[in-house]
């Protein structure tokens, strides 16, 4: 079981556990300097944050990182106030369990920062964009016996904010803390902590099926050191990489060994673990899981005798009124999920059904049978200058023409902002009222240990029912696959 949350860090003092940030031994550094490639990225990371606002066509945008998606009721109310007073009255839930405010005025930055500071949502201004930590949303709230990754998240967040080195991480670098069920382990994180059935923890780097076994007590420190080691390797490569998958191949291959050497230097014992049968099932980490949808909307019985409510936001966006209702019915911190949903804990079982019905009436998705379940979209027009059309309106118009099957994501351009992991139906605007529709992503090959690449493809014009029917068909189309 991970340790309890660390005491608050005094930012004026040297960060604790300085050994975590010990430089890589020269035997690890030398091979990394053997070749240098032209930079993959030639500009700095412009990923928006709560202090660095992004200018969009509908105003300025703030993205607030919420480690493990946790929000106290007071903090949730603060975000509602900010959206109402400073923004367009909406809150966007992202695919990393964060919250965005849109339509912000050009001069509201200082006022927004003050609100967030007062609510305890900005523990470190220099680190506010690197606090990208997702965690299994139902850990400790359902009947699955699992590790309390919420404690890991608190410790890792404290260590990140105490590390001057970690402030250099990209706003896109992602940590995932999986309690053994395999949900966030499939989200394409750069560093994953995966709880195993024998009580140990495996640290995975990028998409590696292998990993390094550490004790649960050392897991948050190991995750931080892995992120710091990535920075060293990325700098040695000269690539400007922001994510593990962007490293040149020779540097990516050496990253796990570099992390292991750094852990050893920091006094953290490790054991190399090859790919095994399945996440949480035994002593090994198992393969990277296929698409796992995350918490299904509905009622979730909790071990303490209460009931948690799982709801999703339509197209990942909701107004202030239902957001405030979520805060009002919660008996504990809300958990924003990477599937653009919210977990509401601590509801009395006798009142759970009626409360869920209130949330449905308020416009939230409260059951898997909803036609809105699994449907996502980018901002589109008029908020995004790069979008070719109003994809949210087209997605909403298509919702009534079928449900179920693969997730579907509507994109206003080829950037596909916010698309899901795993397999999904990719609906991309191409201009002049047309969309390309295809099935994207990988799926396990049931006949071997290989991976099958989905190749089902269709194209349709954006003419109401024809487009909607094509999307509905793609969600249930059997995939052809090529094993690799």
């Amino acid at each position: 079981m991970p340790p309890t949350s660390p005491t608050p860090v005094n930012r004026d003092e040297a960060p604790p556990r300085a050994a975590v940030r010990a430089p890589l031994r020269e035997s690890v550094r030398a091979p990394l300097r053997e070749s240098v490639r032209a930079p993959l990225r030639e500009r700095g990371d412009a990923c928006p944050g709560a202090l660095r606002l992004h200018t969009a066509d509908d105003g300025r945008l703030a993205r607030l990182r919420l480690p493990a998606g946790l929000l106290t009721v007071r903090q949730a109310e603060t975000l509602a106030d900010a959206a109402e007073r400073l923004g367009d009255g909406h809150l966007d839930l992202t695919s990393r369990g964060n919250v965005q405010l849109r339509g912000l005025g050009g001069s509201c930055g200082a006022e927004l920062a003050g609100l967030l500071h007062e609510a305890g949502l900005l523990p470190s201004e220099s680190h506010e964009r690197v606090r990208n930590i997702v965690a299994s949303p139902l850990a400790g709230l359902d009947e699955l016996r699992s590790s309390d990754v919420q404690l890991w998240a608190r410790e890792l967040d404290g260590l990140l904010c105490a590390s001057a080195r970690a402030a250099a991480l990209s706003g896109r670098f992602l940590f995932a803390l999986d309690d053994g069920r395999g949900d966030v382990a499939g989200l394409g994180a750069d560093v994953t902590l995966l709880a195993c059935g024998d009580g140990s923890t495996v640290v995975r780097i990028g998409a590696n099926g292998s990993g390094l076994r550490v004790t649960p007590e050392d897991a948050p420190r190991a995750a931080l050191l892995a992120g710091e080691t990535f920075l060293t390797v990325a700098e040695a490569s000269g690539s400007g990489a922001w994510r593990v998958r962007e490293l040149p191949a020779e540097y990516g291959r050496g990253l796990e060994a570099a992390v292991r050497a750094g852990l050893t230097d920091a006094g953290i014992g490790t054991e190399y673990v090859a790919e095994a049968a399945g996440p949480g099932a035994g002593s090994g980490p198992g393969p990277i899981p296929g698409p796992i949808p995350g918490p299904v909307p509905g009622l979730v019985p909790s071990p303490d005798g209460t009931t948690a409510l799982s709801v999703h936001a339509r197209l990942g966006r909701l107004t202030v009124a239902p957001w405030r209702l979520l805060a009002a019915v919660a008996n504990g911190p809300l958990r924003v999920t990477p599937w653009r949903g919210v977990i509401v804990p601590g509801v009395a079982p006798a009142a759970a059904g009626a409360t869920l019905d209130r949330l449905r009436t308020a416009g939230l998705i409260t059951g898997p049978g909803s036609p809105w379940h699994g449907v996502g979209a980018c901002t589109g027009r008029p908020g995004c200058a790069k979008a070719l059309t109003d994809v949210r309106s087209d997605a909403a118009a298509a919702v009534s023409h079928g449900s179920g099957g693969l997730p579907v994501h509507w994109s206003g351009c080829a950037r596909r902002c916010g698309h899901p992991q795993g397999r999904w139906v990719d609906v991309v605007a191409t201009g002049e009222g047309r969309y390309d529709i295809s099935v994207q992503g990988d799926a396990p090959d049931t006949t071997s240990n290989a991976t099958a690449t989905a190749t089902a493809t269709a194209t349709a014009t954006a003419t109401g029912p024809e487009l909607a029917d094509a999307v509905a068909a793609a969600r249930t189309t059997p995939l052809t696959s090529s094993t690799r």
Side-chain angles (χ1 to χ4, degrees):
M1 184 65 66
T4 57
S5 178
T7 56
V9 175
N10 183 342
R11 310 300 177 202
D12 297 325
E13 297 178 355
R17 288 174 168 171
V20 175
R21 291 174 292 285
L24 293 180
R25 59 177 67 162
E26 182 60 26
S27 62
V28 176
R29 284 181 178 272
L32 298 176
R33 292 199 298 256
E34 288 180 357
S35 64
V36 176
R37 293 187 173 188
L40 173 68
R41 296 188 180 275
E42 297 180 349
R43 63 178 177 84
D45 177 19
C47 198
L51 301 177
R52 178 187 290 182
L53 306 186
H54 170 73
T55 300
D57 275 16
D58 59 349
R60 303 181 83 188
L61 176 153
R63 181 177 300 159
L64 181 64
R65 270 69 173 185
L66 304 175
L70 286 181
L71 270 175
T72 67
V73 170
R74 175 173 171 259
Q75 290 170 338
E77 291 172 345
T78 294
L79 293 183
D81 290 343
E84 194 168 52
R85 288 167 42 193
L86 307 176
D88 62 4
H90 293 78
L91 299 101
D92 290 353
L93 310 185
T94 78
S95 59
R96 292 185 167 193
N98 296 321
V99 171
Q100 289 185 167
L101 305 177
R102 299 190 68 97
L104 298 168
S107 60
C108 76
E111 184 177 358
L112 175 63
L115 288 172
L116 299 178
H117 270 296
E118 186 179 355
L121 289 167
L122 287 178
S124 171
E125 291 191 2
S126 59
H127 294 76
E128 63 97 1
R129 294 189 310 134
V130 306
R131 301 169 68 222
N132 292 304
I133 303 171
V134 296
S136 299
L138 289 179
L141 293 180
D142 63 2
E143 295 175 347
L144 178 66
R145 185 177 179 182
S146 60
S147 298
D148 191 350
V149 293
Q150 300 296 328
L151 296 181
W152 280 351
R154 292 171 194 164
E155 183 172 0
L156 176 56
D157 186 36
L159 291 170
L160 276 172
C161 290
S163 167
R165 178 67 167 149
L169 287 170
S170 162
R172 304 185 188 189
F173 194 90
L174 180 63
F175 296 90
L177 316 182
D178 195 297
D179 69 353
R181 72 186 68 214
D183 52 0
V184 298
L187 295 182
D190 298 281
V191 177
T192 300
L193 297 182
L194 181 60
C196 297
D198 64 353
S200 67
T201 302
V202 169
V203 183
R204 273 178 165 160
I205 311 300
N208 287 354
S210 61
L212 302 172
R213 191 190 314 281
V214 300
T215 67
E217 292 75 18
D218 284 331
R221 289 202 299 143
L224 172 68
L225 191 143
E228 293 177 334
T229 303
F230 161 79
L231 288 172
T232 299
V233 173
E235 289 166 1
S237 75
S239 66
W242 296 342
R243 307 286 310 274
V244 168
R245 63 172 178 258
E246 295 175 355
L247 287 171
E250 63 269 31
Y251 291 92
R253 286 192 296 267
L255 180 56
E256 186 177 88
V259 170
R260 189 173 192 184
L263 291 173
T264 299
D265 288 346
I268 298 176
T270 66
E271 176 190 354
Y272 177 77
V273 183
E275 188 171 296
S283 60
I288 295 292
I292 295 177
V296 175
L299 303 176
V300 182
S302 296
D304 64 0
T306 65
T307 298
L309 309 181
S310 173
V311 299
H312 291 195
R314 295 182 180 184
L315 302 182
R317 190 162 222 239
L318 67 167
T319 62
V320 166
W323 179 264
R324 284 199 168 112
L325 180 58
L326 288 169
V329 301
N331 185 22
L334 300 173
R335 299 184 183 184
V336 181
T337 81
W339 293 272
R340 295 183 169 86
V342 179
I343 305 297
V344 183
V347 178
T355 303
L356 195 67
D357 192 57
R358 287 175 63 195
L359 295 173
R360 179 191 59 78
T361 302
L364 292 163
I365 302 168
T366 59
S370 168
W372 293 91
H373 185 223
V375 181
C378 72
T379 298
R381 286 185 179 173
C384 178
K386 291 184 171 61
L388 301 176
T389 189
D390 183 353
V391 292
R392 288 180 174 270
S393 292
D394 290 340
V399 161
S400 61
H401 289 258
S403 62
L406 293 174
V408 56
H409 187 76
W410 295 69
S411 301
C413 72
R415 294 187 305 162
R416 296 171 169 84
C417 292
H419 71 75
Q421 296 292 320
R423 285 178 294 147
W424 82 96
V425 176
D426 188 36
V427 186
V428 181
T430 59
E432 299 181 354
R434 293 183 62 87
Y435 283 87
D436 283 343
I437 304 167
S438 61
V439 176
Q440 299 287 336
D442 295 334
D445 182 359
T446 57
T447 63
S448 70
N449 291 326
T451 299
T453 301
T455 59
T457 304
T459 302
T461 56
T463 55
E466 291 182 14
L467 173 63
D469 290 344
V471 172
R475 296 185 75 179
T476 56
T477 297
L479 301 181
T480 58
S481 63
S482 57
T483 302
R484 66 184 187 191

